[in-house]
Amino acid sequence: DGGNDGEGRDALCSVAVASQLESLQTFIKALAAECGKAATECEQKAAKVANVAATSKLLPARNTLLEASKKMKQEKSNLDELQSRLTAAKDAALEEHQTEVKQLEEAKAQAYMEQCIGKATEAVKGAEATIQEVAEKSKECSVEFMKDMPAADMEALMKLSQSAKDMVQSAQATIKEIEGSFAEERVGRGSRRFM
């Protein structure tokens, strides 16, 4: 179980990382939009300044606004590139999470299957041992021997036979229980995949 706990923590970490990356991605997207808006506003103001007086003292302000617009466009481009890298990192983290969850589910299903098989094997071995004991005692008992058999021995043989019958029924019930559990597990895993 210690290994499964570690896998569970790793899966939670990859989800947390993906969540943090998504939050950062949203922030960068907003920042890139602001840079684009600021660049557009700088260009519009530079155009207004140029229209007012091409030879006026405002001409250096126009150049400063155009330079600011250029810088804003460059920053927006850098932010767009960073956003693309973050999207790739987030997608990789989510894919890793999905892989880890699938592996964890498969490990749990395997452990459950092994537990059920062990339980069924024990029940079948117990039934086989009891049946073997009854079979050996039956070989010793011929019809003539049974006529002369004391009542206590006959009762012990009957109890042993009933015990064997009960063990077989118990083994059959265990196998049905396991089959039902496996069917539920398959349905449960299938429904989780579509969520």
Side-chain angles (χ1 to χ4, degrees):
D1 282 4
N4 288 346
D5 290 345
E7 289 174 8
R9 280 191 296 274
D10 291 345
L12 289 175
C13 284
S14 62
V15 169
V17 167
S19 177
Q20 290 172 347
L21 289 175
E22 189 170 346
S23 177
L24 187 57
Q25 183 182 19
T26 302
F27 174 75
I28 289 173
K29 185 177 182 179
L31 192 57
E34 286 295 317
C35 284
K37 183 179 173 184
T40 302
E41 288 174 0
C42 285
E43 286 177 350
Q44 290 171 350
K45 288 181 182 180
K48 284 182 184 178
V49 168
N51 287 338
V52 171
T55 58
S56 75
K57 295 180 183 179
L58 294 177
L59 195 56
R62 177 183 174 266
N63 292 339
T64 303
L65 287 169
L66 290 175
E67 184 64 31
S69 174
K70 182 180 174 184
K71 286 182 181 179
M72 289 294 171
K73 285 181 181 179
Q74 182 61 44
E75 288 303 318
K76 182 180 182 313
S77 175
N78 291 344
L79 288 170
D80 287 341
E81 182 183 332
L82 179 59
Q83 185 175 357
S84 295
R85 290 193 337 243
L86 278 173
T87 298
K90 181 186 75 167
D91 291 347
L94 287 174
E95 185 177 327
E96 180 181 342
H97 168 69
Q98 290 170 346
T99 301
E100 289 171 349
V101 166
K102 183 179 177 184
Q103 290 172 346
L104 190 59
E105 284 181 351
E106 288 172 357
K108 285 181 180 179
Q110 180 69 27
Y112 180 71
M113 181 180 69
E114 289 173 3
Q115 176 188 7
C116 289
I117 289 171
K119 187 176 176 183
T121 301
E122 286 178 28
V124 168
K125 283 182 180 179
E128 287 174 347
T130 305
I131 290 170
Q132 181 66 30
E133 187 178 344
V134 168
E136 287 176 15
K137 294 229 180 200
S138 296
K139 287 178 186 176
E140 298 171 5
C141 300
S142 65
V143 175
E144 291 178 18
F145 177 77
M146 290 179 78
K147 286 181 189 176
D148 298 329
M149 183 182 278
D153 290 346
M154 182 65 84
E155 188 176 322
L157 184 60
M158 294 297 284
K159 283 183 180 179
L160 193 56
S161 295
Q162 184 61 43
S163 176
K165 181 180 173 186
D166 292 345
M167 292 290 271
V168 169
Q169 288 174 342
S170 175
Q172 289 172 339
T174 301
I175 290 170
K176 280 188 179 186
E177 177 185 330
I178 290 168
E179 288 173 347
S181 295
F182 281 142
E184 289 174 15
E185 179 65 22
R186 280 192 297 265
V187 168
R189 278 189 284 144
S191 65
R192 284 193 298 270
R193 287 186 185 140
F194 296 108
M195 290 183 169

